[in-house]
């Protein structure tokens, strides 16, 4: 289990390590928790205006994650996150205006946390999605004192932490809360006192609980001025007797030790302890019945260091065989370590090197979580190329693939892959807003005759991903009902190429059908039109991300379909100014794009992406001017105000063998301007060549586009 630490939000800070990002909250499960865009500060949809920044606990089965954030008023808040569905939930505030955080969560989704009831006065609480908050009270009863919760058992029925007690100092006593119990302290029958070791000043603190709920690890006062020892409480008889058996785990030779984490069945406890040397502390691993420990304490092993004077064990695998943490190296710099009986303490960099992973220029600072089998480790690293400095990592070896993931960078590539599919909708709107930015009746034809067209378009989207689009189209049209109707039907081929993060790419190879109906009532200058487009494309996405010092590539193939329906009204030659005529127009379009789910191949961390369905709409208000330079040449200019809205890019799925992810989502609402110029050249009485260019401000149109269209009558 990962050691946990409450945040500095007016709540009590217990010993342990605070996890900086959700990826660092993985503990005994192979499936690790999910992230959104790398850090919780990007998940403001949990609570609008909130800044989410720390994952503090994960359920034993890896299905739920909890942690903390801070809202716009500076009040600490807690979140609950379902890894499987990608759904996040702000748990709210226990008392309005007072900070509340979530510290740990059970396999059943019960959250343990701490909520202030007044300034600097806190209370241990439980929270569930269906029932909200439950006050766990204190060791002084339900109405007095303070308490905080550190950890919860897998079944959600036992919570460990610290509380005041009559005659004690604030937060001086450990407790275990047991759902449904009747033999607890006076005024709070479900909360039991975890007694300190005899001979000390009475201090105790519960830090972690075994998954099965039988043991608690923590710290207690010991004999000697200011002495503190790691302890383990056996809860086997507590319901019947009201008392837990406290066991002194001793030290590595000094006067202080602290237990930070305990394995699933409670047999192994890890933490840190002073040794006989002045100001020196080492990581320890205590094992029930162990014989390989230090002199005078055979159950507590000194795990040593990486060459410096200090080390600390922060987490242990479910079976107790693998310990991870941080240690100083010979240059007194903090480095992540992994310890097993066979290898001893290895820097995580060396462990990865043994599995052919070169970490490159990054520094792995500390390891804060480890999977059940010890093959997946999470922690914090420093990346000189990251503007924020420290960033979370996931390292793994084994049959599912070996690699070192920079979580912040990796999650941006997941979002990029989702964006690449979402952008397919923009690609299929290019035909409508390129050569087809004019209705068919804006081109000449013979009454009750037949016409045809061919055109080619190019477009470039400068949205940070450099998307280029090219298409070729051909079609036929005809006039009906004494020139009041014009009907056209065409088809085209379209391709696009998009640059993704870290030299990744997305390629669309598509086909589409387009149909248009124009109606101009007799003796009226209004053209009403309906245009529909249906397209399908094959999409190849090559996602690139760092794997330590190397680059990894995961490839995905999927199918995309997109449909758009546009209605439009043009008021032709509404007014004139000098030699130019002006025609306002208004259009409304709705689109739906569906991107099939797919699973990537290759790379050290391939992912499975869920199906994505995107709806969008846009309104265009435009004004076109036309000026005839001579009998064969005319210039047409347009100015459009465009408002677009719809579903924002979303990437959801599962990193193979690791965590689920749900990145982005929500909606967009943007307004932009677009200008264009057309040059119409009459090549013959029955043939017209039209060249056009368009430019747009930042929005969903291509920033620059051009088209050539040849229309003829036969």
């Amino acid at each position: 289990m990962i050691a946990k630490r409450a945040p500095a939000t007016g709540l009590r800070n217990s010993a342990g390590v605070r996890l900086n990002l959700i990826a660092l909250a993985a503990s005994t499960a192979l499936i690790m928790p999910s992230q959104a865009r790398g850090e919780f500060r990007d998940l403001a949809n949990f609570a609008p205006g909130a800044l989410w920044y720390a994952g503090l606990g994960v359920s034993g089965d890896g299905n739920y994650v909890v942690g903390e954030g801070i809202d716009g008023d500076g009040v600490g808040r807690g979140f609950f996150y379902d890894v499987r569905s990608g759904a996040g939930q702000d748990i709210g505030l226990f008392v309005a205006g007072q900070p509340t955080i979530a510290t740990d969560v059970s396999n059943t989704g019960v959250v343990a946390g701490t909520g202030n009831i007044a300034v600097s006065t806190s209370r241990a609480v439980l929270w569930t999605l269906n029932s909200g908050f439950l006050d766990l009270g204190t060791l002084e009863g339900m109405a007095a004192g303070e308490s905080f919760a550190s950890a919860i058992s897998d079944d959600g029925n036992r919570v460990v932490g610290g509380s005041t007690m009559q005659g004690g100092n604030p937060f001086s006593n450990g407790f275990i809360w047991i759902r449904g119990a009747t033999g607890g302290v006076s005024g709070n029958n479900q909360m039991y006192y975890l007694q300190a070791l005899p001979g000390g000043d009475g201090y105790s603190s519960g830090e972690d609980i075994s998954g099965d709920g039988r043991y608690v690890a923590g710290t207690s006062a010991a004999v000697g001025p200011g002495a503190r020892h790691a302890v383990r409480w056996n809860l086997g008889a507590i319901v019947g007797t009201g008392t837990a058996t406290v066991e002194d785990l001793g030290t590595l030779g000094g006067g202080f030790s602290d237990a930070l984490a305990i394995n699933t069945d409670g047999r192994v406890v890890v933490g840190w302890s002073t040794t006989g040397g002045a100001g020196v502390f080492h990581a320890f691993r205590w094992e029930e019945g162990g014989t390989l420990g230090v002199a005078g304490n055979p159950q507590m092993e000194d795990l040593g260091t990486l060459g410096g004077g200090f080390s600390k064990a922060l987490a242990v695998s479910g079976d107790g065989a693998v310990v991870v943490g941080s240690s100083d190296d010979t240059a007194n710099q903090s480095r992540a370590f992994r310890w097993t009986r066979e290898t001893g303490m290895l820097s995580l960099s060396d462990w990865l090197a043994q599995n052919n992973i070169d970490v490159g220029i990054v520094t792995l600072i500390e390891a804060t979580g480890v999977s059940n089998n010890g093959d997946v480790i999470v922690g914090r690293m420093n990346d000189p190329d990251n503007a924020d400095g420290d960033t979370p990592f996931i390292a793994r070896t084994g049959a599912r693939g070996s690699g070192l993931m920079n979580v912040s960078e990796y999650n941006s590539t997941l979002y990029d892959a989702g964006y690449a599919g979402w952008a397919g909708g923009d690609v299929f709107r290019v035909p409508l807003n390129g050569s087809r930015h004019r209705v068919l009746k804006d081109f000449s034809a013979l009454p009750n005759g037949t016409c045809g067209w061919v055109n080619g378009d190019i477009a470039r989207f400068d949205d940070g991903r450099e998307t280029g689009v090219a298409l070729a189209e051909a079609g036929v049209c005809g006039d009906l009902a004494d020139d009041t109707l014009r009907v056209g039907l065409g088809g085209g081929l379209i391709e696009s190429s998009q640059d993704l993060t870290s030299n990744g790419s997305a390629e669309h190879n598509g086909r589409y059908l387009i149909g248009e109906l124009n109606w101009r009532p007799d003796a009226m200058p209004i053209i009403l039109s309906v245009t529909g487009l249906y397209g399908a494309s094959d999409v190849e996405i090559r996602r690139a991300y760092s794997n330590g010092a190397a680059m990894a590539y995961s490839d995905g193939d999927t199918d995309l379909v997109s449909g758009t329906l546009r209605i439009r009204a043009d008021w032709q030659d509404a007014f004139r100014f000098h030699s130019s005529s002006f025609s306002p127009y208004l259009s409304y379009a709705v689109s739906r794009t569906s991107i099939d789910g797919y699973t990537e191949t290759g790379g050290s961390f391939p992912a499975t992406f869920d199906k994505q369905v995107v709806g969008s709409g846009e309104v265009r208000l435009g004004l076109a001017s036309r000026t005839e330079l001579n009998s064969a040449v005319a210039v047409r200019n347009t100015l459009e105000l465009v408002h677009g809205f719809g579903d924002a890019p979303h990437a959801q799925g599962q990193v193979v063998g690791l965590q689920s992810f749900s990145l982005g989502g929500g909606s967009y609402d943007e307004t932009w301007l677009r200008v264009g110029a057309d040059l119409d050249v009459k090549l013959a009485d029955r043939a017209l060549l039209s060249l056009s260019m368009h430019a747009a401000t930042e929005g969903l149109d291509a920033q620059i586009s051009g088209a050539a269209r040849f229309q003829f009558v036969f």
Side-chain angles (χ1 to χ4, degrees), residues 589-616:
V590 291
S591 301
R592 185 180 186 275
T593 302
S594 176
I595 307 100
D596 287 348
Y598 64 95
T599 298
E600 297 174 325
T601 58
S604 48
F605 296 100
T608 294
F609 289 82
D610 295 344
K611 182 177 182 178
Q612 183 179 177
V613 179
V614 179
S616 62

Side-chain angles (χ1 to χ4, degrees), residues 251-256 272-282 302 309-310:
T251 73
L252 294 175
F256 195 102
W272 63 278
S273 170
T274 55
T275 66
V280 175
F281 62 82
H282 287 184
D302 185 341
F310 307 96

Side-chain angles (χ1 to χ4, degrees), residues 122-168:
S122 65
R123 189 62 59 85
V125 295
L126 287 185
W127 178 91
T128 62
L129 189 61
N130 294 327
S131 303
F133 287 105
L134 174 66
D135 187 345
L136 301 189
T138 75
L139 288 170
E140 296 184 73
M142 295 302 297
E146 296 185 66
S147 59
F148 69 91
S150 293
I152 190 169
S153 60
D154 285 347
D155 63 8
N157 290 327
R158 297 189 173 199
V159 178
V160 64
S163 173
T164 55
M165 187 175 180
Q166 292 290 343

Side-chain angles (χ1 to χ4, degrees), residues 429 433 564-569 585-591 616-623 639-646 668-674 699-701:
R429 284 188 288 272
N433 300 318
T564 300
L565 181 67
R566 181 181 72 188
I567 58 175
R568 174 169 165 162
Y585 57 91
L586 176 67
S587 72
Y588 174 72
V590 291
S591 301
S616 62
E618 66 174 30
V619 178
R620 292 178 184 263
L621 176 62
L623 180 65
L639 174 64
E640 292 180 336
L641 177 66
V642 191
H643 179 70
F645 52 91
Y668 70 87
D669 198 308
E670 296 187 56
T671 302
W672 64 95
L673 291 173
R674 187 171 186 248
L700 273 73
D701 274 326

Side-chain angles (χ1 to χ4, degrees), residues 228-230 248-257 273-275 284 294-297 300:
R228 300 284 189 269
H229 283 190
D248 187 349
L249 306 189
T251 73
L252 294 175
F256 195 102
S257 61
S273 170
T274 55
T275 66
F284 75 75
V294 297
N297 191 357
M300 182 177 284

